[in-house]
Amino acid sequence: MTFTPTVSDEVRALAPGFTHVAVEAHDLVNAPTTEASSALLDDAARRLAARLGGRAPHEDPHMAAWREVYTRFGSKPSRTRNSAEALARRALTEAGLPRINLLVDLYNAVSVARLIPVGGEDLDRIRGAMRLVRATGEEDFVTVSGGEETVEHPDAGEVVWRDDAGVTCRRWNWRQGPRTRLTEGTAAGVFLLEGMAPMPVADLEAAAGELAELLEKFSPGARITVHPPV
C-alpha cells in the first residue's frame, strides 16, 4: 500500500504556505550509528554554520516562518521549537548532534544541513492513514516520562500528526511519540520533509532527493519512492 498522508482543511487555512514531501522506503537496513553516519552529522553542522553565516537559527527566514505558524496555533516557539530549529541549536553547541541510529542520523543530517523539519516513521507501526490535523484535545499521545509509559493529550487546536491509534507527533513536528519511531528493527519507513513559505518548493524537493540518495547508499537494494509535493 502506498503511503498517502493528508493535510486537513483547518491546517491549510492556518498555514497556506505549508508543503510537505514524503519519501517512502522499503527493505531498509537499520543499525547503530556508524562512522559514516556520524561523519554526515558533523558535515551537516558545518553546512548549517555556512548557511547561517553567524545568525542564530531562528533568524533564518524559513525558521521565522515556522515560529509564526506555531504562534498561530497557541504554541510558544521559543519553548517548543520546531524540530529543525531545535536540532540546529544543538548542532552549533560543543556537544553537537545526538547519534541515535543509522536511519535517524541520515534524516537528521539532511534536516540540519538544509534547515528543514524532517521526521521518520516506521510504516509497520502506523495504524491506518496518517493525517495532519488540529487536535480536539481528546486524542491520546502515548509517550514515556521517567522511564514509564504515560498518556498525554494535546491542547485543543494544536496541530498534530496522527493515525487511527492516536497522535504520533505533537505540535506539528516538535515531539514524536515512541510508538512509530525508527528503531534498529525498522525495515519500512516514511520520511516527511516539511516546508513553509518563503522556502521554495524546489528546495524541499532537493532535500528529499538528497535523503533518498542517502537511503539508497546505506540500504543497498531498498525500494525508495519520492512522492510529489503536497
Side-chain angles (χ1 to χ4, degrees), residues 142-214:
V142 179
T143 186
V144 176
S145 178
E148 298 291 332
E149 185 175 287
T150 184
V151 177
E152 298 178 355
H153 303 283
D155 298 327
E158 181 182 323
V159 177
V160 299
W161 279 103
R162 66 159 302 165
D163 63 5
D164 290 353
V167 172
T168 58
C169 195
R170 286 198 58 188
R171 294 194 173 98
W172 212 310
N173 49 44
W174 166 65
R175 188 172 67 172
Q176 183 184 29
R179 173 170 60 89
T180 58
R181 284 177 184 162
L182 302 179
T183 68
E184 291 177 26
T186 296
V190 63
F191 303 84
L192 294 171
L193 296 88
E194 300 181 300
M196 200 73 68
M199 170 167 276
V201 174
D203 288 2
L204 200 63
E205 293 179 294
E210 180 180 354
L211 178 57
E213 289 177 3
L214 289 173

Side-chain angles (χ1 to χ4, degrees), residues 83-100:
S83 64
E85 183 183 333
L87 275 177
R89 286 168 58 89
R90 292 192 65 172
L92 297 173
T93 66
E94 187 175 336
L97 289 164
R99 272 60 173 168
I100 308 298

Side-chain angles (χ1 to χ4, degrees), residues 3-18:
F3 179 80
T4 53
T6 59
V7 180
S8 73
D9 291 342
E10 286 185 316
V11 173
R12 292 290 187 196
L14 177 78
F18 173 67

Side-chain angles (χ1 to χ4, degrees), residues 10-128:
E10 286 185 316
V11 173
R12 292 290 187 196
L14 177 78
F18 173 67
T19 306
H20 75 272
V21 174
V23 179
E24 185 178 350
H26 297 267
D27 300 325
L28 291 169
V29 177
N30 202 3
T33 294
T34 66
E35 289 186 9
S37 69
S38 184
L40 280 173
L41 291 169
D42 290 338
D43 182 62
R46 288 188 288 268
R47 290 168 64 186
L48 170 70
R51 173 185 290 268
L52 290 174
R55 295 173 299 162
H58 70 267
E59 295 176 295
D60 177 85
H62 189 214
M63 295 298 93
W66 274 103
R67 282 190 162 220
E68 181 182 343
V69 170
Y70 266 50
T71 301
R72 286 182 204 160
F73 66 81
S75 185
K76 295 181 178 179
S78 60
R79 181 180 300 172
T80 55
R81 297 178 175 89
N82 76 77
S83 64
E85 183 183 333
L87 275 177
R89 286 168 58 89
R90 292 192 65 172
L92 297 173
T93 66
E94 187 175 336
L97 289 164
R99 272 60 173 168
I100 308 298
N101 59 52
L102 179 60
L103 292 177
V104 175
D105 291 348
L106 297 185
Y107 80 70
N108 277 350
V110 172
S111 175
V112 167
R114 294 179 176 267
L115 266 184
I116 292 172
V118 184
E121 308 281 351
D122 188 318
L123 275 172
D124 292 328
R125 295 177 179 270
I126 293 170
R127 299 293 173 255

